[in-house]
Amino acid sequence: MRLTILGSSGSLAAPDNPASGYLLEVDNAPGVVLDLGPGTLARLQSFIDPASVHVLFSHLHADHCLDFPSLMVWRRFHPDAPAVARSLLYAPKPAPVFFGRLSSDDQPDGVDDLSDTFAFTPWRAHEPEIVDRVTVTPYPMVHPVEAYALRVEEHTTGATLAYSGDTAYNDQLVEAARDVDLFLCEANWGTDAGDDVPGMHMNGAEAGRAARLAGAKRLVIIHVPPWVDKQATVAAAAEEFGGPVEFGEPGTVYTV
Ligand SMILES: [Zn+2]
Ligand SMILES: [Zn+2]
């Protein structure tokens, strides 16, 4: 499978990097988007028909999902390429109401019904979901809202990857990334200790430790805010991990 970084900026988009969004592609199957933060829908158009993709959300913070209402506009109203069938939507349980409010013309209390264009399934902790040619398993994380790390396994090749979403360091993250070929892991606190705001994010060293304990083969650092030094964050992760690690620059394609 191929994993394309649409955007990997943390907490908000940077001038040269959209906020969180990742495109997963497997031959002979629709694309799958992991999060769709601000700016990522524009990048997505360079790679694939946006009306064709399934969408999986790690959690519903703005920096991970705010391009979704615009994707619904594309799916319903693009004059040449509207969606021809419902796509799959996996997310925490509040998603239909959360996005329904953002899409409704009856502001502020209306809730647009998105079931015409997406078939929604809420994540259930540790319950695998089959999304065409991959199986995705959500692991509950430590964050101020319901949040999951997503472990992805390709059926044909057995290739695996894990995406941390946003989380403080925890043992479930290590389980989600156990022996994966590619581990996309957030390091929002950069080289800070990060303990002044508990229960929210990790620093580079914690990302490296999670990758080492999981036995991940390759670590890609993501979710670094514009004001944090990316290379220093990668260096902190590398010191703990001991394996190959780099920052997930936008546009990079990883073959797993
Ligand atoms: Zn975030
Ligand atoms: Zn978050």
Side-chain angles (χ1 to χ4, degrees):
M1 53 187 163
R2 293 177 304 285
L3 190 285
T4 301
I5 309 282
L6 301 172
S8 57
S9 183
S11 299
L12 70 166
D16 56 354
N17 193 358
S20 300
Y22 309 92
L23 171 62
L24 188 65
E25 293 175 281
V26 176
D27 289 344
N28 304 312
V32 177
V33 169
L34 310 177
D35 288 344
L36 197 63
T40 55
L41 180 57
R43 293 289 179 104
L44 186 67
Q45 294 168 49
S46 301
F47 297 101
I48 198 168
D49 174 5
S52 69
V53 297
H54 302 309
V55 182
L56 283 51
F57 284 113
S58 64
H59 67 302
L60 298 177
H61 271 157
D63 57 318
H64 294 252
C65 68
L66 276 192
D67 271 5
F68 187 75
S70 299
L71 176 61
M72 289 177 58
V73 172
W74 181 299
R75 290 180 60 84
R76 286 170 168 161
F77 301 116
H78 192 294
D80 305 320
V84 295
R86 293 205 301 174
S87 283
L88 304 177
L89 170 64
Y90 291 90
K93 194 174 178 183
V97 173
F98 184 84
F99 292 126
R101 288 199 189 284
L102 291 175
S103 293
S104 177
D105 292 331
D106 181 18
Q107 297 174 341
D109 296 324
V111 179
D112 182 26
D113 180 0
L114 47 97
S115 63
D116 62 308
T117 194
F118 274 104
F120 172 64
T121 303
W123 293 124
R124 294 164 296 173
H126 305 116
E127 291 285 325
E129 302 285 355
I130 294 174
V131 184
D132 286 301
R133 299 173 75 92
V134 298
T135 293
V136 183
T137 306
Y139 289 74
M141 293 291 107
V142 178
H143 203 53
V145 297
E146 181 181 349
Y148 299 93
L150 303 176
R151 180 186 177 90
V152 180
E153 303 185 48
E154 185 185 352
H155 299 164
T156 310
T157 63
T160 51
L161 68 82
Y163 167 43
S164 66
D166 285 2
T167 186
Y169 184 89
N170 70 94
D171 292 342
Q172 283 289 296
L173 178 63
V174 175
E175 289 311 308
R178 180 68 64 197
D179 297 325
V180 290
D181 298 303
L182 183 73
F183 183 21
L184 282 177
C185 190
E186 74 120 287
N188 193 88
W189 297 144
T191 56
D192 290 351
D195 52 4
D196 50 338
V197 186
M200 190 175 289
H201 287 299
M202 291 185 292
N203 58 30
E206 289 172 314
R209 177 152 51 107
R212 174 170 51 80
L213 294 177
K217 296 179 180 65
R218 184 175 192 180
L219 173 61
V220 175
I221 295 294
I222 51 168
H223 205 284
V224 175
W227 52 82
V228 169
D229 184 332
K230 289 186 287 192
Q231 293 315 317
T233 304
V234 167
E239 194 168 331
E240 278 279 344
F241 179 40
V245 54
E246 64 190 80
F247 182 75
E249 295 289 351
T252 306
V253 181
Y254 296 95
T255 300
V256 183

